[in-house]
Amino acid sequence: MSQKLVAYFSATGTTEKVANNLASVTGATLWQIEPMQAYTAEDLDWRNKQSRSSLEMADPNERPTVKACTYIEPYDTIYVGFPIWWGICPRIIQSWIENNDLAGKRIVPFATSGSQGIEGAVQFLRKTYPQYNWQDGKLLNQYTDETLKEWIKK
């Protein structure tokens, strides 16, 4: 029997809502990827080039510290959720990936975004971590339980 995990990062609660619904619909275990230092509204000000999020995204080697790691051994399908930042996933997602061995797992990204699709993020993840089994992702700004179920079936 397939074991599923929904691991997500949410800075403002938008991705968290989607992750909760996805876990409910799939029967998956839910795991929040949390930064050691929470993001403030000032940290998330993308218009300020000196904000924490802007500085992190400008440095491809930046890896924010994650509060705790997930025990992912029993899971064969992992849904990884995040907001789109600068066209890709936030650096904390890279921190989480690099602290977990995802070999042999089916990894399904999902995202929320105010202005961009998920394609660039999926392409980035496949290029950066080619050793993993990345599935096509889904932008889940607007969804219902039915659309989630249809997507999961694919």
Side-chain angles (χ1 to χ4, degrees):
M1 189 158 143
S2 175
Q3 295 229 17
K4 298 173 183 73
L5 173 70
V6 173
Y8 72 94
F9 165 70
S10 185
T12 64
T14 303
T15 306
E16 181 175 32
K17 287 180 192 173
V18 176
N20 280 311
N21 287 346
L22 183 58
S24 177
V25 166
T26 60
T29 301
L30 186 66
W31 179 267
Q32 182 178 9
I33 300 168
E34 294 181 89
M36 190 64 78
Q37 177 186 353
Y39 289 89
T40 66
E42 293 81 25
D43 292 337
L44 299 172
D45 184 358
W46 57 271
R47 295 167 300 219
N48 177 355
K49 294 203 183 295
Q50 296 305 308
S51 72
R52 177 177 164 199
S53 60
S54 294
L55 292 172
E56 286 177 2
M57 296 309 291
D59 181 355
N61 296 312
E62 179 65 35
R63 298 295 183 270
T65 305
V66 176
K67 259 189 188 178
C69 287
T70 318
Y71 179 66
I72 62 166
E73 185 61 35
Y75 304 103
D76 52 11
T77 300
I78 301 175
Y79 295 90
V80 180
F82 49 86
I84 301 291
W85 287 7
W86 287 260
I88 61 174
C89 61
R91 300 285 181 215
I92 193 167
I93 294 298
Q94 290 183 265
S95 297
W96 184 81
I97 291 167
E98 292 169 10
N99 281 296
N100 288 285
D101 180 7
L102 304 178
K105 312 291 183 188
R106 183 174 171 260
I107 309 164
V108 186
F110 68 94
T112 57
S113 174
S115 63
Q116 296 177 310
I118 193 172
E119 297 80 13
V122 173
Q123 183 179 22
F124 172 80
L125 290 166
R126 284 180 172 151
K127 182 179 178 186
T128 307
Y129 306 101
Q131 71 273 30
Y132 296 134
N133 181 16
W134 295 100
Q135 305 298 299
D136 290 335
K138 180 108 174 126
L139 190 67
L140 293 171
N141 288 341
Q142 297 178 358
Y143 65 91
T144 63
D145 285 354
E146 278 307 309
T147 58
L148 282 180
K149 289 175 186 175
E150 289 173 24
W151 174 56
I152 292 161
K153 285 180 187 176
K154 294 179 184 179

